[in-house]
Amino acid sequence: MKKVAIECRNIHLAYGQTQVLKDVSLHIAPGEFFALLGPSGSGKSSLLRLIAGFNRQQQGQLLIDGQDMSPKAPWERNVGMVFQSYALWPHMSVWDNVAFGLVERKVEPAILKAKVLAVLEQVGLSEFAQRRPNQLSGGQQQRVALARTIVVEPQVLLLDEPLSNLDKSLRTQMRQELLSMQRRLGLTTVFVTHDQEEAMATADRMAVLDKGVVQQVGTAQALYDSPANRFVANFVGTMNVLTVQALRYSTGELHLRMAGLPEVTLPWPETPVQTEGAGLCFRPHAVDMVLAQQSENPQRFWLPGEILSSEFMGNATRYQVKVGLDVLTVDQAHHAGGVKWAPHTFVKLGLHPEQVQVVT
Ligand code: ADP
Ligand code: MG
């Protein structure tokens, strides 16, 4: 089957007076597994419904396989969508649910039968063909929804939080199944989720949405390592942000002042960063924590702090540490016999300049 690209060009969508998507531009490559990640209400489902043809943008263009979709109704688009609620017909058997789209398309009975059999086999539901949806587990219902969508051989697969109704361990298993099926079929897939771990574990690339605006597009690693702004930094993984009060750039160096802390100088080969609302950010595990009286490794810069609390997580101990005006999260790898430091212990946090970023 031909793999198709999806392109959104400067799309604006409003429901009445409420602007929901603002100038959304995305290019999704043929055969890509692409995630739309964002908090509830950020416009993910609205964008997915727009690609499917259930929403119409007021401005901008949507192209699938290079073709402008605006004159096309949903059923003319060759797009399959799995809804968050699955939307299975409760009074119909699994077989009839899956066959429905083929019946509507007036597919010949022999071909219909072969296709339904093949797709039930593919999702591992062959034995359940005569059951009703309410006689199936959540994971099985989700497979029926998927089978029903792929049986008509769409070129684009749209998944709206397809795993959110499943419990945690099933969710992890199903996301791998989804991914391997997507790879097998080579379907360009847009996967909506509010769960950053799910997006990172599956997607080739993702777009982070906030309030209808695309904040950043890239691979999981690119977004995790180089978040474009504070929103992405906090939404993709756990990030510490130290409030910077003043920041001065001189050739190759950045000087930062933060309330109650010694001035920090970082090598800074890039162009000067924006001063307004700047923050110094780094991941919880990128920090070396030592007792206040211990000597400092000169490869790092050091910030004084006080431990407020800790949680043992098995592989690491997670500390909350007061540093200047902020409370930071610091993970220290745990090895058998390692000790946990008590609240009110004075410590120093060591950071490598390469592990920190300035965000606005
Ligand atoms: P998400 O899927 O990211 O949770 P949605 O796309 O469902 O977000 O919703 C984005 C915004 O649009 C929300 O503020 C929501 O309340 C609003 N919205 C969604 N659908 C409609 C609708 N049919 N009419 C009016 N407002 C809507
Ligand atoms: Mg939604």
Side-chain angles (χ1 to χ4, degrees):
M1 194 205 308
K2 184 178 182 205
K3 295 182 181 177
V4 299
I6 303 170
E7 196 181 345
C8 301
R9 288 188 187 157
N10 309 101
I11 285 179
H12 291 259
L13 173 75
Y15 299 116
Q17 294 299 307
T18 319
Q19 278 291 330
V20 173
L21 297 174
K22 297 163 201 157
D23 201 23
V24 169
S25 291
L26 288 174
H27 193 286
I28 301 170
E32 194 167 32
F33 196 103
F34 191 91
L36 286 177
L37 175 66
S40 172
S42 57
K44 306 180 297 294
S45 296
S46 298
L47 180 55
L48 209 64
R49 295 172 60 83
L50 191 143
I51 297 171
F54 302 119
N55 280 340
R56 180 64 60 88
Q57 71 272 21
Q58 281 81 23
Q59 277 179 57
Q61 267 188 314
L62 169 73
L63 293 95
I64 299 181
D65 196 21
Q67 268 192 301
D68 183 5
M69 286 294 117
S70 41
K72 300 217 177 213
W75 56 88
E76 296 170 318
R77 293 190 178 197
N78 226 350
V79 162
M81 179 150 168
V82 176
F83 295 90
Q84 189 169 0
S85 57
Y86 310 151
L88 301 174
W89 286 287
H91 59 288
M92 286 175 17
S93 66
V94 168
W95 180 280
D96 289 339
N97 265 283
V98 174
F100 188 84
L102 298 174
V103 173
E104 274 207 315
R105 285 170 175 75
K106 303 195 171 39
V107 171
E108 238 179 81
I111 297 176
L112 178 146
K113 190 174 171 198
K115 287 192 173 184
V116 175
L117 277 174
V119 84
L120 286 178
E121 176 73 39
Q122 208 161 35
V123 298
L125 284 177
S126 304
E127 313 152 50
F128 300 100
Q130 294 317 316
R131 294 227 190 146
R132 295 277 162 89
N134 66 5
Q135 297 170 311
L136 299 174
S137 71
Q140 289 163 339
Q141 290 181 31
Q142 147 52 241
R143 289 189 181 100
V144 178
L146 200 61
R148 186 180 61 175
T149 306
I150 61 177
V151 78
V152 297
E153 296 167 12
Q155 291 178 307
V156 169
L157 181 61
L158 305 175
L159 304 166
D160 196 354
E161 312 234 10
L163 308 177
S164 61
N165 295 332
L166 309 176
D167 61 44
K168 175 113 178 101
S169 66
L170 192 56
R171 216 156 58 213
T172 316
Q173 179 200 332
M174 282 296 292
R175 75 185 184 208
Q176 286 310 318
E177 279 185 29
L178 259 183
L179 187 59
S180 62
M181 194 203 63
Q182 187 269 345
R183 292 289 191 253
R184 223 166 37 235
L185 300 173
L187 277 173
T188 308
T189 300
V190 187
F191 176 90
V192 160
T193 180
H194 64 271
D195 180 341
Q196 48 99 6
E197 183 194 308
E198 204 165 273
M200 290 205 283
T202 53
D204 296 315
R205 288 187 313 141
M206 61 182 90
V208 175
L209 270 181
D210 182 35
K211 302 187 183 80
V213 178
V214 173
Q215 304 293 314
Q216 194 172 4
V217 182
T219 61
Q221 195 181 332
L223 268 60
Y224 189 85
D225 288 348
S226 313
N229 57 37
R230 202 180 282 240
F231 182 84
V232 178
N234 283 314
F235 201 74
V236 181
T238 305
M239 185 66 100
N240 287 307
V241 184
L242 269 174
T243 312
V244 173
Q245 298 203 312
L247 165 151
R248 185 165 55 78
Y249 179 79
S250 60
T251 322
E253 278 184 342
L254 195 62
H255 306 271
L256 303 161
R257 206 141 40 71
M258 294 165 283
L261 294 174
E263 183 172 301
V264 170
T265 300
L266 297 172
W268 204 258
E270 296 150 59
T271 44
V273 285
Q274 196 188 318
T275 317
E276 194 73 31
L280 181 70
C281 70
F282 47 92
R283 299 288 175 190
H285 58 262
V287 187
D288 236 4
M289 189 160 75
V290 301
L291 293 172
Q293 62 273 22
Q294 253 170 276
S295 61
E296 299 174 358
N297 174 343
Q299 316 257 278
R300 293 173 175 249
F301 65 90
W302 294 85
L303 301 169
E306 180 187 356
I307 291 176
L308 299 180
S309 64
S310 67
E311 279 178 349
F312 181 58
M313 304 195 300
N315 58 343
T317 301
R318 171 160 285 193
Y319 293 94
Q320 300 300 317
V321 184
K322 182 137 177 56
V323 176
L325 298 177
D326 298 293
V327 177
L328 305 181
T329 301
V330 176
D331 288 348
Q332 297 294 282
H334 174 73
H335 304 286
V339 290
K340 196 162 91 168
W341 288 333
H344 308 302
T345 304
F346 288 96
V347 292
K348 286 187 291 203
L349 305 184
L351 285 154
H352 197 279
E354 281 181 1
Q355 300 292 326
V356 303
Q357 281 187 63
V358 177
V359 288
T360 51

